[in-house]
Amino acid sequence: MAPLPAGFLYGQWSLVYNALSFGIAAMGSATIFFWLQLPNVAKGYRTALVITGLVTAIATYHYVRIFNSWVDAFSVVQSNGAGGDYVVSLTGAPFNDAYRYVDWLLTVPLLLIELILVMKLPKAETVSKSVQLGLASAIMVALGYPGEIQSDLGVRWFWWCCSMVPFLFVVGSLLVGLSDATSKQPESAVDLVVGARYLTMFAWLTYPFVYIIKSVGMEGTAATTYEQVGYSVADVVAKAVFGVLIWAIAAEKSHLEETGKLVGK
Amino acid sequence: MAPLPAGFLYGQWSLVYNALSFGIAAMGSATIFFWLQLPNVAKGYRTALVITGLVTAIATYHYVRIFNSWVDAFSVVQSNGAGGDYVVSLTGAPFNDAYRYVDWLLTVPLLLIELILVMKLPKAETVSKSVQLGLASAIMVALGYPGEIQSDLGVRWFWWCCSMVPFLFVVGSLLVGLSDATSKQPESAVDLVVGARYLTMFAWLTYPFVYIIKSVGMEGTAATTYEQVGYSVADVVAKAVFGVLIWAIAAEKSHLEETGKLVGK
């Protein structure tokens, strides 16, 4: 990452600190929820649920790392001995934000795959869609990183545009390509599948906007604060809240299969 | 290892840092995936899947160790107090790269055994192939190490050549010896088994090339950076991605057995 700016207010610093801790708690508890639900869904949906939990488990690991990196990068002490305001200064240790990109490189393809798996498409379609969307999303993340570590605005915009090409392909596939498949879902699960697809698009759209906070010339401590809080909230929605929908789809379809209402689908 | 060179750029240092953290996340999440899938495969494939998870579990342990050793060997601080670029210097603590060889000594024989087990050959063939390939691969790793810790190029090449003898034996066995056995696999699993064999060969071939980065006279910080990133990527492919193929073979064959399509095979 570009070096951290100096001059964080205590309120800014602790907003990021608490957002990162919120990320650990939300991702960690979501992981446990998904895996504890494994025996309650039919065998055909367990791989989707295992992967749903893996996505939040990988995110938990990275949020612990980002949190520790954030703490190590700052020294926070009371001025004038006890009783004064808290003063935040840089220790000189780097804040490694690349953890986010390493996380996305693993989790974004996986969460597309969990959505495809829970739809239980024909096998060949499952494999081809997983490969297509998985690869496109990994390329999207890889193309975003060179811009993220730049402070040159032109270069940031260049990589943002490159990254938007696979981004639009994936979002387009979710919107159009999977809509046929959605219509083949059992009636009581259609709303959930539609919900999962729109939640993905909504959550995903926040990332390019958070990315351009620094590209539109906003800089300094406010930009870093917005960026960290924005990515953290978007991650929780895209992984944990999204995962709850995946679990709900798996549970509903398991119920239909058990009661014999999903035979022949 | 030979002592670390001085003069790492922050970009080089953090590329290795992030590659090692990626190793922890990828190996750790793969381990959980394999073990959570245990109840979903037939009993006859569970030992293969247990070992698949062991390989990535052992690798997770070693990647945590290598990561910590890498962090301890360097001091990274911002120059000119706050706001300057990050400067990387050596602390004098050793970077213990022998972790990689200890890891390979355990995991390489195991991952050959998991491939043999998932093929479900006749018992005598399973035992003889496991012993042959397991021993040859352990000798291969042991012969590579004396060269890895050398900076004398002649001695490096000598041990590289020694190590290539069992290497070629193992790769040859995978290519030729197992191809007969592959043809006896059920039709829908043949592609996966063939895929696993070629992935092994492809991933394995990257190791001798990463090894010779320093043998062809490249030295300094760039050589160490390429070496660490190269080994990390090769490890993730050879253990985690390979393991996913082993799981897919086990799941497919379990499904065939349950539906009665694999009787008599």
Side-chain angles (χ1 to χ4, degrees):
Chain A
M1 286 304 277
L4 283 170
F8 274 91
L9 302 172
Y10 176 65
Q12 294 175 323
W13 177 82
S14 68
L15 189 63
V16 173
Y17 178 100
N18 288 307
L20 295 172
S21 177
F22 167 74
I24 298 171
M27 300 294 191
S29 54
T31 305
I32 296 168
F33 178 79
F34 301 137
W35 288 342
L36 286 179
Q37 290 289 352
L38 277 173
N40 302 336
V41 301
K43 215 170 161 182
Y45 301 101
R46 286 191 193 150
T47 300
L49 209 53
V50 166
I51 294 178
T52 306
L54 274 191
V55 166
T56 48
I58 295 169
T60 307
Y61 165 77
H62 284 114
Y63 270 88
V64 170
R65 289 281 194 196
I66 300 169
F67 178 88
N68 290 345
S69 186
W70 183 256
V71 169
D72 290 346
F74 295 94
S75 152
V76 183
V77 284
Q78 269 183 308
S79 62
N80 316 317
D85 288 336
Y86 292 112
V87 177
V88 178
S89 56
L90 295 170
T91 59
F95 173 56
N96 181 35
D97 208 18
Y99 284 129
R100 291 198 182 277
Y101 279 79
V102 177
D103 180 85
W104 294 336
L105 205 58
L106 288 163
T107 58
V108 174
L110 286 176
L111 61 87
L112 289 170
I113 291 170
E114 81 193 42
L115 176 60
I116 295 164
L117 282 179
V118 88
M119 297 181 80
K120 256 199 177 177
L121 308 172
K123 200 174 166 184
E125 207 179 337
T126 299
V127 173
S128 75
K129 278 201 195 302
S130 295
V131 171
Q132 255 180 36
L133 297 183
L135 274 182
S137 60
I139 293 169
M140 168 189 89
V141 172
L143 288 175
Y145 187 63
E148 186 76 87
I149 54 173
Q150 282 290 335
S151 31
D152 182 316
L153 299 194
V155 181
R156 275 188 78 91
W157 278 110
F158 171 76
W159 289 109
W160 183 85
C161 292
C162 291
S163 182
M164 284 305 278
V165 177
F167 177 89
L168 292 173
F169 169 76
V170 173
V171 171
S173 300
L174 290 177
L175 196 60
V176 181
L178 288 179
S179 89
D180 284 352
T182 303
S183 61
K184 288 177 204 141
Q185 299 296 309
E187 205 179 326
S188 61
V190 163
D191 285 353
L192 289 168
V193 174
V194 170
R197 278 171 49 223
Y198 282 102
L199 184 79
T200 313
M201 283 183 292
F202 170 78
W204 281 40
L205 279 171
T206 58
Y207 291 93
F209 284 105
V210 174
Y211 190 101
I212 59 177
I213 286 175
K214 285 182 178 164
S215 306
V216 294
M218 186 186 274
E219 53 190 16
T221 60
T224 301
T225 304
Y226 291 138
E227 188 186 72
Q228 292 305 318
V229 174
Y231 279 147
S232 301
V233 172
D235 271 354
V236 169
V237 175
K239 296 180 167 81
V241 179
F242 174 74
V244 171
L245 283 176
I246 296 291
W247 159 75
I249 296 167
E252 177 61 26
K253 288 171 79 173
S254 297
H255 174 71
L256 293 175
E257 281 181 20
E258 274 165 23
T259 53
K261 291 178 192 146
L262 199 58
V263 178
K265 278 274 181 180
Chain B
M1 284 304 277
L4 282 171
F8 275 91
L9 301 171
Y10 176 65
Q12 294 175 324
W13 177 83
S14 68
L15 189 63
V16 173
Y17 178 99
N18 288 305
L20 295 172
S21 177
F22 168 75
I24 298 171
M27 299 294 191
S29 54
T31 305
I32 298 169
F33 179 80
F34 301 137
W35 288 343
L36 284 179
Q37 291 288 357
L38 277 173
N40 302 334
V41 300
K43 219 169 161 181
Y45 300 101
R46 287 192 191 152
T47 301
L49 209 53
V50 166
I51 294 179
T52 305
L54 274 190
V55 166
T56 48
I58 295 168
T60 308
Y61 165 76
H62 284 114
Y63 270 87
V64 170
R65 289 284 193 193
I66 300 170
F67 178 89
N68 290 345
S69 185
W70 183 256
V71 169
D72 290 344
F74 295 93
S75 152
V76 182
V77 284
Q78 268 182 307
S79 62
N80 316 317
D85 288 335
Y86 293 111
V87 176
V88 178
S89 55
L90 295 170
T91 59
F95 173 55
N96 179 34
D97 207 19
Y99 286 129
R100 292 199 182 278
Y101 279 79
V102 178
D103 180 84
W104 294 336
L105 204 58
L106 288 163
T107 57
V108 174
L110 286 176
L111 64 85
L112 288 170
I113 292 169
E114 81 194 41
L115 177 60
I116 295 164
L117 282 179
V118 88
M119 296 181 79
K120 255 199 177 175
L121 308 172
K123 201 171 169 185
E125 207 179 337
T126 299
V127 173
S128 75
K129 277 201 195 302
S130 295
V131 171
Q132 257 180 33
L133 295 183
L135 273 182
S137 61
I139 292 168
M140 168 189 90
V141 173
L143 288 176
Y145 188 62
E148 186 77 88
I149 54 173
Q150 283 290 334
S151 31
D152 181 318
L153 299 194
V155 182
R156 275 187 78 90
W157 277 111
F158 171 76
W159 289 110
W160 183 85
C161 291
C162 292
S163 181
M164 284 304 278
V165 177
F167 176 90
L168 291 173
F169 169 75
V170 173
V171 171
S173 301
L174 290 177
L175 195 61
V176 181
L178 288 179
S179 89
D180 283 352
T182 303
S183 61
K184 289 176 203 140
Q185 299 296 310
E187 204 180 328
S188 61
V190 163
D191 284 354
L192 290 168
V193 174
V194 170
R197 279 170 49 223
Y198 282 101
L199 184 79
T200 313
M201 283 184 292
F202 171 77
W204 282 40
L205 278 171
T206 58
Y207 292 94
F209 284 103
V210 175
Y211 190 100
I212 59 177
I213 286 175
K214 285 183 178 163
S215 307
V216 292
M218 188 186 273
E219 53 190 15
T221 60
T224 302
T225 304
Y226 291 139
E227 186 186 74
Q228 292 304 319
V229 174
Y231 279 149
S232 302
V233 173
D235 272 355
V236 169
V237 174
K239 296 179 166 82
V241 178
F242 174 74
V244 171
L245 284 176
I246 296 291
W247 160 74
I249 295 167
E252 178 61 26
K253 288 171 80 173
S254 299
H255 174 70
L256 294 174
E257 282 181 18
E258 275 166 23
T259 52
K261 290 178 192 147
L262 200 58
V263 177
K265 277 275 181 180

